[in-house]
Amino acid sequence: MTILVMGHIRLGKGEGAKAARLLADHVVKVRAEEGCEHYAFGFDVADPDVFYVQERWSTPDALAAHGEAEHQKAFGRALRDHAPSERVIQLWTGEHWRDL
C-alpha cells in the first residue's frame, strides 16, 4: 500500500530563506531511508516563508520508522528555530493511481 503525506508549514517572516539549507540537507537523509519512494519540499512562489511537503512511502511501517528516525526528530527540533506558525500535514492511503 502506498502512503502519501502532503501539506505545508508556514515559517516566521523572513525565515524561509534561512531554513533552506536545513530543508535541503534533511531531504538527502530521508531519501536514503528504506521505503521512501519520494520526499521533497518546495517553497511557495507567492510566499517564500511557506514550504510544501510531499512524501510517498511504500508501507505504513516505513513511514512509522521515518517518524522514529533520530534525524527526523532532530529536524523537528531544528525547525523550531525558524518560528513555524502553521503546520498542516495530511496522510492519504489511496489504492489507485492514474496518470493525468
Side-chain angles (χ1 to χ4, degrees):
M1 168 193 308
T2 296
I3 309 294
L4 296 179
V5 177
M6 299 182 74
H8 71 275
I9 296 175
R10 178 178 301 281
L11 302 176
K13 184 143 181 80
E15 291 297 315
K18 296 175 187 175
R21 175 55 34 208
L22 172 68
L23 299 177
D25 290 346
H26 187 62
V27 165
V28 170
K29 293 173 187 172
V30 175
R31 286 180 180 171
E33 290 182 40
E34 185 174 336
C36 178
E37 296 178 349
H38 175 79
Y39 195 90
F41 297 131
F43 283 99
D44 187 316
V45 297
D47 186 344
D49 293 323
V50 172
F51 70 93
Y52 295 99
V53 177
Q54 303 172 13
E55 304 178 30
R56 188 173 66 235
W57 296 90
S58 61
T59 66
D61 289 342
L63 177 59
H66 164 67
E68 293 300 317
E70 284 305 315
H71 60 266
Q72 179 65 17
K73 292 176 182 178
F75 172 73
R77 290 188 298 271
L79 199 58
R80 292 182 202 143
D81 292 340
H82 300 285
S85 62
E86 181 179 46
R87 180 182 178 272
V88 177
I89 308 289
Q90 297 175 316
L91 180 141
W92 184 68
T93 57
E95 296 181 8
H96 179 72
W97 281 100
R98 182 178 79 154
D99 290 332
L100 299 177

